[in-house]
Amino acid sequence: MTRLSRPALSQRFPLPLPPKSSTAYINPNAALDLKPGETDDEFIFNPVLTLPPAFGSAYVGESFSCTLCANNELPGDAERHVSSVRIEAEMQTPSGTSPLELRQSEEESPSLQLKSGESIQKIVQFDLREEGSHTLAVNLSYSETTMSKDLSASSGRVRTFRKLYQFVARPCLSVRTKVSSVPNANTEDGQKFLIEVQLENLADGTIILKAVAFNTKPAFKSTSLNWDLARPDVQHSSCPSVAPRDVLQIAFLVEQRIDGPSKEVTKDGRTTLGQLSIQWRSSMGDTGFLSTGWLTTKRK
């Protein structure tokens, strides 16, 4: 049997605790993802680790992560024994199929028996890079041995089964860009351009922009005109949050280097400036990354 789960951060309230002398007492700090006394003001929800009742949404730019769990649910006095459990997984995307590397917390022997009530857990991670339907295909194989009354193996066979988990990857951010030349700036100091960007949150929840940068070609340099304008070398705690369907305007000033290399010009006379990179974090703690194509000037 396999189960698919994704841990999430959501708001919960503590239950009444039994006395510390009781065997049922559990320190409430064990449920927190931070040490006692530490806080993270950028998290919208209370940092308590729980499991969501449903799978949720998946967005392009984020990493799909889940735990695959194979459980031996035979009773303890069963005559059948399970061993050589093997889990394989692959992700089917609109453009093709990719085998997945399964990570485990500790080394496991393939010949080790899986006793009644025990389980094997594997971690799957996959970077979502395209929109559309995705299918996580999981193959599980194991050896089933029937034991006789004198505890000797009387028969055995290999069993396999396959389970499919489908979800749709949707865009999290809509990015619109505009490149314009700065008037009266085409002097001997080099050309200057203004990059205007409009970001719209298409997700179901609020996201927090961690970093937005414009990576230029060697012939240019960029200056952020956003919240990090005063101290671009410092990580700011006041990163903007964008609610669902809200729009945020950002901008960059791109200047040509005086003693830099020559500009890259396309066949139709466009000058290649650079590309925009965006990093964000959702209200559930998932991190995302998006990079645009190369931005160019208008055709001459």
Side-chain angles (χ1 to χ4, degrees):
M1 178 180 180
T2 60
R3 293 174 180 170
L4 181 69
S5 61
R6 297 186 72 195
L9 296 173
S10 60
Q11 189 171 11
R12 291 294 182 268
F13 298 96
L15 298 174
L17 293 176
K20 290 188 177 182
S21 58
S22 173
T23 57
Y25 174 81
I26 299 178
N27 192 326
N29 292 329
L32 299 177
D33 68 332
L34 298 174
K35 296 180 181 179
E38 293 185 1
T39 59
D40 190 345
D41 297 334
E42 295 183 8
F43 269 114
I44 298 177
F45 295 130
N46 190 33
V48 178
L49 186 63
T50 62
L51 294 178
F55 172 79
S57 302
Y59 298 103
V60 176
E62 297 182 351
S63 294
F64 173 86
S65 179
C66 71
T67 300
L68 299 176
C69 184
N71 307 315
N72 183 359
E73 299 183 349
L74 293 173
D77 56 353
E79 297 180 352
R80 293 175 294 170
H81 290 185
V82 175
S83 62
S84 302
V85 181
R86 182 179 178 86
I87 304 177
E88 297 178 338
E90 61 183 18
M91 185 69 74
Q92 300 172 3
T93 66
S95 62
T97 301
S98 302
L100 300 178
E101 180 181 358
L102 303 183
R103 297 191 294 111
Q104 56 195 25
S105 58
E106 57 184 10
E107 294 295 330
E108 298 170 356
S109 173
S111 60
L112 182 65
Q113 285 191 351
L114 191 62
K115 299 180 181 179
S116 174
E118 292 183 345
S119 66
I120 294 179
Q121 296 184 6
K122 304 289 185 178
I123 299 175
V124 171
Q125 286 187 331
F126 181 78
D127 293 333
L128 302 175
R129 291 292 178 257
E130 54 184 319
E131 302 178 31
S133 177
H134 288 60
T135 302
L136 175 63
V138 182
N139 298 317
L140 189 141
S141 62
Y142 61 94
S143 298
E144 182 183 276
T145 306
T146 303
M147 309 298 293
S148 60
K149 294 183 179 179
D150 58 353
L151 300 181
S152 61
S154 60
S155 63
R157 56 181 174 178
V158 177
R159 289 180 174 270
T160 61
F161 65 88
R162 181 180 177 90
K163 301 199 72 173
L164 303 177
Y165 303 93
Q166 293 182 333
F167 63 94
V168 177
R170 301 187 290 128
C172 181
L173 280 176
S174 172
V175 183
R176 301 178 181 90
T177 59
K178 178 183 177 182
V179 180
S180 56
S181 177
V182 178
N184 301 325
N186 298 331
T187 63
E188 57 183 11
D189 294 336
Q191 293 179 299
K192 295 183 181 180
F193 301 92
L194 181 64
I195 310 295
E196 300 175 80
V197 184
Q198 185 182 79
L199 302 177
E200 181 180 1
N201 181 9
L202 302 180
D204 297 329
T206 300
I207 63 173
I208 299 173
L209 292 180
K210 299 295 295 181
V212 179
F214 188 78
N215 303 317
T216 61
K217 286 289 188 177
F220 296 93
K221 62 180 180 179
S222 67
T223 302
S224 174
L225 305 179
N226 308 299
W227 59 90
D228 55 349
L229 175 61
R231 294 293 304 276
D233 57 328
V234 177
Q235 184 177 2
H236 293 259
S237 60
S238 58
C239 297
S241 60
V242 188
R245 299 301 180 271
D246 277 1
V247 175
L248 179 67
Q249 304 279 356
I250 60 177
F252 296 88
L253 178 64
V254 177
E255 303 175 77
Q256 184 179 358
R257 298 180 184 271
I258 300 177
D259 299 327
S262 59
K263 300 182 294 183
E264 295 185 16
V265 182
T266 61
K267 294 181 180 180
D268 57 357
R270 299 172 183 262
T271 301
T272 305
L273 301 178
Q275 59 182 171
L276 184 71
S277 64
I278 308 168
Q279 298 181 29
W280 70 88
R281 185 167 64 177
S282 71
S283 57
M284 293 299 172
D286 297 321
T287 57
F289 175 80
L290 179 65
S291 181
T292 65
W294 293 106
L295 300 184
T296 61
T297 59
K298 295 181 180 180
R299 181 184 304 174
K300 292 183 179 181

mmCIF file of all heavy atoms in Angstrom, residues 158-186:
data_model
loop_
_atom_site.group_PDB
_atom_site.id
_atom_site.type_symbol
_atom_site.label_atom_id
_atom_site.label_comp_id
_atom_site.label_asym_id
_atom_site.label_seq_id
_atom_site.Cartn_x
_atom_site.Cartn_y
_atom_site.Cartn_z
ATOM 1 N N VAL A 158 6.916 -13.114 -6.552
ATOM 2 C CA VAL A 158 7.151 -11.677 -6.615
ATOM 3 C C VAL A 158 5.876 -10.988 -7.064
ATOM 4 O O VAL A 158 5.256 -11.383 -8.064
ATOM 5 C CB VAL A 158 8.311 -11.353 -7.594
ATOM 6 C CG1 VAL A 158 8.501 -9.846 -7.703
ATOM 7 C CG2 VAL A 158 9.602 -12.025 -7.132
ATOM 8 N N ARG A 159 5.473 -9.976 -6.313
ATOM 9 C CA ARG A 159 4.260 -9.219 -6.628
ATOM 10 C C ARG A 159 4.641 -7.783 -7.009
ATOM 11 O O ARG A 159 5.587 -7.214 -6.469
ATOM 12 C CB ARG A 159 3.297 -9.187 -5.442
ATOM 13 C CG ARG A 159 2.614 -10.520 -5.150
ATOM 14 C CD ARG A 159 1.680 -10.388 -3.968
ATOM 15 N NE ARG A 159 0.901 -11.576 -3.724
ATOM 16 C CZ ARG A 159 -0.290 -11.823 -4.262
ATOM 17 N NH1 ARG A 159 -0.834 -10.918 -5.083
ATOM 18 N NH2 ARG A 159 -0.950 -12.927 -3.978
ATOM 19 N N THR A 160 3.899 -7.203 -7.908
ATOM 20 C CA THR A 160 4.095 -5.802 -8.312
ATOM 21 C C THR A 160 2.741 -5.137 -8.478
ATOM 22 O O THR A 160 1.744 -5.796 -8.801
ATOM 23 C CB THR A 160 4.872 -5.705 -9.644
ATOM 24 O OG1 THR A 160 4.116 -6.352 -10.681
ATOM 25 C CG2 THR A 160 6.247 -6.340 -9.525
ATOM 26 N N PHE A 161 2.694 -3.863 -8.237
ATOM 27 C CA PHE A 161 1.505 -3.079 -8.575
ATOM 28 C C PHE A 161 1.927 -1.648 -8.846
ATOM 29 O O PHE A 161 3.022 -1.214 -8.489
ATOM 30 C CB PHE A 161 0.427 -3.148 -7.482
ATOM 31 C CG PHE A 161 0.811 -2.527 -6.176
ATOM 32 C CD1 PHE A 161 0.585 -1.177 -5.940
ATOM 33 C CD2 PHE A 161 1.381 -3.282 -5.168
ATOM 34 C CE1 PHE A 161 0.921 -0.592 -4.738
ATOM 35 C CE2 PHE A 161 1.718 -2.714 -3.957
ATOM 36 C CZ PHE A 161 1.488 -1.368 -3.745
ATOM 37 N N ARG A 162 1.050 -0.894 -9.496
ATOM 38 C CA ARG A 162 1.354 0.454 -9.974
ATOM 39 C C ARG A 162 0.220 1.387 -9.552
ATOM 40 O O ARG A 162 -0.962 1.046 -9.664
ATOM 41 C CB ARG A 162 1.486 0.443 -11.502
ATOM 42 C CG ARG A 162 1.817 1.780 -12.147
ATOM 43 C CD ARG A 162 1.908 1.591 -13.658
ATOM 44 N NE ARG A 162 2.163 2.830 -14.386
ATOM 45 C CZ ARG A 162 3.357 3.308 -14.674
ATOM 46 N NH1 ARG A 162 4.436 2.634 -14.297
ATOM 47 N NH2 ARG A 162 3.509 4.428 -15.357
ATOM 48 N N LYS A 163 0.598 2.561 -9.073
ATOM 49 C CA LYS A 163 -0.389 3.565 -8.677
ATOM 50 C C LYS A 163 -0.037 4.880 -9.365
ATOM 51 O O LYS A 163 1.132 5.230 -9.539
ATOM 52 C CB LYS A 163 -0.427 3.755 -7.160
ATOM 53 C CG LYS A 163 -0.752 2.493 -6.377
ATOM 54 C CD LYS A 163 -1.230 2.800 -4.974
ATOM 55 C CE LYS A 163 -2.613 3.392 -4.974
ATOM 56 N NZ LYS A 163 -3.172 3.557 -3.622
ATOM 57 N N LEU A 164 -1.087 5.622 -9.748
ATOM 58 C CA LEU A 164 -0.929 6.886 -10.456
ATOM 59 C C LEU A 164 -1.549 8.010 -9.635
ATOM 60 O O LEU A 164 -2.650 7.859 -9.091
ATOM 61 C CB LEU A 164 -1.590 6.827 -11.837
ATOM 62 C CG LEU A 164 -1.104 5.724 -12.776
ATOM 63 C CD1 LEU A 164 -1.902 5.746 -14.071
ATOM 64 C CD2 LEU A 164 0.385 5.870 -13.068
ATOM 65 N N TYR A 165 -0.837 9.141 -9.550
ATOM 66 C CA TYR A 165 -1.330 10.338 -8.867
ATOM 67 C C TYR A 165 -1.267 11.493 -9.862
ATOM 68 O O TYR A 165 -0.191 11.869 -10.315
ATOM 69 C CB TYR A 165 -0.481 10.653 -7.631
ATOM 70 C CG TYR A 165 -0.405 9.533 -6.630
ATOM 71 C CD1 TYR A 165 0.638 8.608 -6.676
ATOM 72 C CD2 TYR A 165 -1.374 9.387 -5.643
ATOM 73 C CE1 TYR A 165 0.720 7.575 -5.759
ATOM 74 C CE2 TYR A 165 -1.306 8.364 -4.716
ATOM 75 C CZ TYR A 165 -0.247 7.456 -4.777
ATOM 76 O OH TYR A 165 -0.178 6.435 -3.865
ATOM 77 N N GLN A 166 -2.411 12.047 -10.191
ATOM 78 C CA GLN A 166 -2.492 13.100 -11.200
ATOM 79 C C GLN A 166 -2.741 14.458 -10.549
ATOM 80 O O GLN A 166 -3.479 14.565 -9.568
ATOM 81 C CB GLN A 166 -3.608 12.802 -12.203
ATOM 82 C CG GLN A 166 -3.341 11.581 -13.073
ATOM 83 C CD GLN A 166 -4.439 11.336 -14.092
ATOM 84 O OE1 GLN A 166 -5.595 11.713 -13.869
ATOM 85 N NE2 GLN A 166 -4.083 10.725 -15.206
ATOM 86 N N PHE A 167 -2.118 15.490 -11.113
ATOM 87 C CA PHE A 167 -2.345 16.862 -10.689
ATOM 88 C C PHE A 167 -2.017 17.773 -11.858
ATOM 89 O O PHE A 167 -1.396 17.363 -12.842
ATOM 90 C CB PHE A 167 -1.501 17.216 -9.458
ATOM 91 C CG PHE A 167 -0.015 17.150 -9.691
ATOM 92 C CD1 PHE A 167 0.705 18.276 -10.046
ATOM 93 C CD2 PHE A 167 0.671 15.945 -9.562
ATOM 94 C CE1 PHE A 167 2.065 18.221 -10.268
ATOM 95 C CE2 PHE A 167 2.039 15.876 -9.775
ATOM 96 C CZ PHE A 167 2.735 17.020 -10.134
ATOM 97 N N VAL A 168 -2.444 19.014 -11.750
ATOM 98 C CA VAL A 168 -2.242 19.999 -12.814
ATOM 99 C C VAL A 168 -1.333 21.099 -12.284
ATOM 100 O O VAL A 168 -1.581 21.661 -11.210
ATOM 101 C CB VAL A 168 -3.573 20.590 -13.299
ATOM 102 C CG1 VAL A 168 -3.336 21.668 -14.343
ATOM 103 C CG2 VAL A 168 -4.460 19.489 -13.873
ATOM 104 N N ALA A 169 -0.286 21.411 -13.027
ATOM 105 C CA ALA A 169 0.618 22.512 -12.686
ATOM 106 C C ALA A 169 0.114 23.782 -13.367
ATOM 107 O O ALA A 169 -0.046 23.823 -14.588
ATOM 108 C CB ALA A 169 2.041 22.201 -13.115
ATOM 109 N N ARG A 170 -0.131 24.807 -12.560
ATOM 110 C CA ARG A 170 -0.658 26.066 -13.074
ATOM 111 C C ARG A 170 0.364 27.179 -12.888
ATOM 112 O O ARG A 170 1.227 27.092 -12.021
ATOM 113 C CB ARG A 170 -1.960 26.441 -12.354
ATOM 114 C CG ARG A 170 -3.061 25.408 -12.490
ATOM 115 C CD ARG A 170 -4.378 25.921 -11.911
ATOM 116 N NE ARG A 170 -4.324 26.011 -10.457
ATOM 117 C CZ ARG A 170 -4.649 27.089 -9.762
ATOM 118 N NH1 ARG A 170 -5.012 28.196 -10.397
ATOM 119 N NH2 ARG A 170 -4.620 27.087 -8.458
ATOM 120 N N PRO A 171 0.282 28.238 -13.686
ATOM 121 C CA PRO A 171 1.208 29.369 -13.482
ATOM 122 C C PRO A 171 0.902 30.087 -12.182
ATOM 123 O O PRO A 171 -0.256 30.296 -11.829
ATOM 124 C CB PRO A 171 0.961 30.255 -14.703
ATOM 125 C CG PRO A 171 -0.418 29.900 -15.163
ATOM 126 C CD PRO A 171 -0.604 28.450 -14.848
ATOM 127 N N CYS A 172 1.960 30.474 -11.473
ATOM 128 C CA CYS A 172 1.809 31.213 -10.218
ATOM 129 C C CYS A 172 1.867 32.718 -10.451
ATOM 130 O O CYS A 172 1.153 33.468 -9.796
ATOM 131 C CB CYS A 172 2.894 30.790 -9.235
ATOM 132 S SG CYS A 172 2.820 31.612 -7.632
ATOM 133 N N LEU A 173 2.705 33.137 -11.381
ATOM 134 C CA LEU A 173 2.886 34.556 -11.670
ATOM 135 C C LEU A 173 2.696 34.815 -13.157
ATOM 136 O O LEU A 173 3.155 34.042 -13.998
ATOM 137 C CB LEU A 173 4.279 35.028 -11.259
ATOM 138 C CG LEU A 173 4.534 35.334 -9.785
ATOM 139 C CD1 LEU A 173 5.995 35.689 -9.577
ATOM 140 C CD2 LEU A 173 3.644 36.460 -9.302
ATOM 141 N N SER A 174 2.014 35.918 -13.442
ATOM 142 C CA SER A 174 1.932 36.422 -14.805
ATOM 143 C C SER A 174 2.880 37.619 -14.910
ATOM 144 O O SER A 174 2.801 38.553 -14.107
ATOM 145 C CB SER A 174 0.501 36.851 -15.147
ATOM 146 O OG SER A 174 0.457 37.499 -16.402
ATOM 147 N N VAL A 175 3.797 37.559 -15.881
ATOM 148 C CA VAL A 175 4.835 38.581 -16.015
ATOM 149 C C VAL A 175 4.647 39.316 -17.338
ATOM 150 O O VAL A 175 4.626 38.693 -18.405
ATOM 151 C CB VAL A 175 6.242 37.963 -15.950
ATOM 152 C CG1 VAL A 175 7.307 39.052 -16.022
ATOM 153 C CG2 VAL A 175 6.408 37.134 -14.680
ATOM 154 N N ARG A 176 4.491 40.633 -17.265
ATOM 155 C CA ARG A 176 4.417 41.480 -18.456
ATOM 156 C C ARG A 176 5.542 42.506 -18.378
ATOM 157 O O ARG A 176 5.736 43.134 -17.340
ATOM 158 C CB ARG A 176 3.056 42.177 -18.561
ATOM 159 C CG ARG A 176 1.869 41.217 -18.613
ATOM 160 C CD ARG A 176 0.552 41.986 -18.672
ATOM 161 N NE ARG A 176 -0.600 41.105 -18.698
ATOM 162 C CZ ARG A 176 -1.227 40.670 -17.615
ATOM 163 N NH1 ARG A 176 -0.793 41.054 -16.419
ATOM 164 N NH2 ARG A 176 -2.259 39.864 -17.719
ATOM 165 N N THR A 177 6.268 42.664 -19.464
ATOM 166 C CA THR A 177 7.418 43.560 -19.472
ATOM 167 C C THR A 177 7.280 44.608 -20.569
ATOM 168 O O THR A 177 6.615 44.390 -21.586
ATOM 169 C CB THR A 177 8.721 42.765 -19.689
ATOM 170 O OG1 THR A 177 8.648 42.069 -20.939
ATOM 171 C CG2 THR A 177 8.937 41.772 -18.565
ATOM 172 N N LYS A 178 7.915 45.745 -20.339
ATOM 173 C CA LYS A 178 7.966 46.831 -21.319
ATOM 174 C C LYS A 178 9.359 47.447 -21.275
ATOM 175 O O LYS A 178 9.846 47.817 -20.211
ATOM 176 C CB LYS A 178 6.896 47.885 -21.014
ATOM 177 C CG LYS A 178 6.920 49.074 -21.967
ATOM 178 C CD LYS A 178 5.889 50.119 -21.570
ATOM 179 C CE LYS A 178 5.952 51.340 -22.475
ATOM 180 N NZ LYS A 178 4.975 52.387 -22.064
ATOM 181 N N VAL A 179 9.986 47.546 -22.438
ATOM 182 C CA VAL A 179 11.326 48.127 -22.552
ATOM 183 C C VAL A 179 11.219 49.435 -23.315
ATOM 184 O O VAL A 179 10.683 49.480 -24.425
ATOM 185 C CB VAL A 179 12.288 47.175 -23.281
ATOM 186 C CG1 VAL A 179 13.679 47.797 -23.384
ATOM 187 C CG2 VAL A 179 12.357 45.827 -22.557
ATOM 188 N N SER A 180 11.712 50.501 -22.721
ATOM 189 C CA SER A 180 11.661 51.811 -23.371
ATOM 190 C C SER A 180 12.997 52.518 -23.192
ATOM 191 O O SER A 180 13.691 52.337 -22.177
ATOM 192 C CB SER A 180 10.529 52.666 -22.801
ATOM 193 O OG SER A 180 10.659 52.809 -21.399
ATOM 194 N N SER A 181 13.361 53.312 -24.173
ATOM 195 C CA SER A 181 14.600 54.073 -24.118
ATOM 196 C C SER A 181 14.393 55.341 -23.294
ATOM 197 O O SER A 181 13.358 56.005 -23.400
ATOM 198 C CB SER A 181 15.062 54.427 -25.530
ATOM 199 O OG SER A 181 16.231 55.220 -25.497
ATOM 200 N N VAL A 182 15.363 55.666 -22.443
ATOM 201 C CA VAL A 182 15.277 56.864 -21.624
ATOM 202 C C VAL A 182 15.548 58.080 -22.507
ATOM 203 O O VAL A 182 16.585 58.142 -23.179
ATOM 204 C CB VAL A 182 16.284 56.809 -20.455
ATOM 205 C CG1 VAL A 182 16.225 58.091 -19.638
ATOM 206 C CG2 VAL A 182 15.996 55.604 -19.571
ATOM 207 N N PRO A 183 14.635 59.055 -22.559
ATOM 208 C CA PRO A 183 14.841 60.231 -23.426
ATOM 209 C C PRO A 183 16.108 61.005 -23.060
ATOM 210 O O PRO A 183 16.472 61.119 -21.878
ATOM 211 C CB PRO A 183 13.583 61.078 -23.170
ATOM 212 C CG PRO A 183 12.581 60.117 -22.619
ATOM 213 C CD PRO A 183 13.354 59.096 -21.854
ATOM 214 N N ASN A 184 16.770 61.513 -24.090
ATOM 215 C CA ASN A 184 17.964 62.354 -23.931
ATOM 216 C C ASN A 184 19.082 61.644 -23.175
ATOM 217 O O ASN A 184 19.894 62.269 -22.502
ATOM 218 C CB ASN A 184 17.609 63.658 -23.192
ATOM 219 C CG ASN A 184 16.546 64.455 -23.925
ATOM 220 O OD1 ASN A 184 16.511 64.473 -25.169
ATOM 221 N ND2 ASN A 184 15.666 65.092 -23.174
ATOM 222 N N ALA A 185 19.105 60.304 -23.259
ATOM 223 C CA ALA A 185 20.153 59.549 -22.553
ATOM 224 C C ALA A 185 21.148 58.924 -23.504
ATOM 225 O O ALA A 185 22.144 58.361 -23.065
ATOM 226 C CB ALA A 185 19.523 58.459 -21.690
ATOM 227 N N ASN A 186 20.914 58.999 -24.814
ATOM 228 C CA ASN A 186 21.825 58.410 -25.780
ATOM 229 C C ASN A 186 23.007 59.346 -26.043
ATOM 230 O O ASN A 186 23.181 59.900 -27.117
ATOM 231 C CB ASN A 186 21.085 58.096 -27.083
ATOM 232 C CG ASN A 186 19.980 57.081 -26.850
ATOM 233 O OD1 ASN A 186 20.089 56.257 -25.950
ATOM 234 N ND2 ASN A 186 18.937 57.145 -27.644
#
